[in-house]
Amino acid sequence: MAAEADGLLKRALVPILLPEKCYDQLFVQWDLLHVPCLKIVLSKGLGLGIVAGSLLVKLPQVFKILGAKSAEGLSLQSVVLELVALTGTMAYSITNNFPFRPTFIPSNS
């Protein structure tokens, strides 16, 4: 039973939050103060939190528009300005070869 729970925990955490070597370091060897692994967990956790927070900020507006079946009162200028800002950030990131891959999708490497 414990091995099954451990396998489930490992399948959930390894592709999302930490590499397998850090899983072993933190959960098998119980070295909870291993600084390189803590940095990885903190970085990925904050990244996921920022993405989730950004999504949650927009959901009430989307639900209100869907419920009213109208976007009346929505400022076209603000939507265009937000789109320009996001496009600029994306272009900058692509130009500088910053990797963007959702952390919940495991890479092939």
Side-chain angles (χ1 to χ4, degrees):
M1 183 80 164
E4 182 179 315
D6 184 50
L8 183 62
L9 180 67
K10 187 173 185 175
R11 283 195 311 265
L13 288 179
V14 169
I16 297 172
L17 204 54
L18 63 157
E20 190 166 353
K21 64 180 179 178
C22 285
Y23 175 85
D24 292 339
Q25 190 74 32
L26 295 173
F27 294 101
V28 175
Q29 298 175 10
W30 290 102
D31 184 8
L32 300 177
L33 298 176
H34 189 257
V35 175
C37 290
L38 287 178
K39 286 182 180 180
I40 291 171
V41 169
L42 182 64
S43 174
K44 286 196 175 193
L46 284 174
L48 285 172
I50 290 170
V51 170
S54 299
L55 176 66
L56 289 176
V57 165
K58 290 294 182 185
L59 282 179
Q61 184 179 21
V62 171
F63 289 145
K64 187 174 182 180
I65 290 171
L66 289 174
K69 294 187 169 111
S70 170
E72 185 179 349
L74 200 62
S75 169
L76 179 62
Q77 291 173 334
S78 68
V79 172
V80 170
L81 185 61
E82 184 178 17
L83 181 62
V84 168
L86 291 172
T87 303
T89 303
M90 185 180 70
Y92 177 79
S93 297
I94 290 171
T95 302
N96 289 310
N97 294 323
F98 293 157
F100 179 79
R101 127 184 114 72
T103 57
F104 51 85
I105 299 175
S107 65
N108 293 334
S109 57

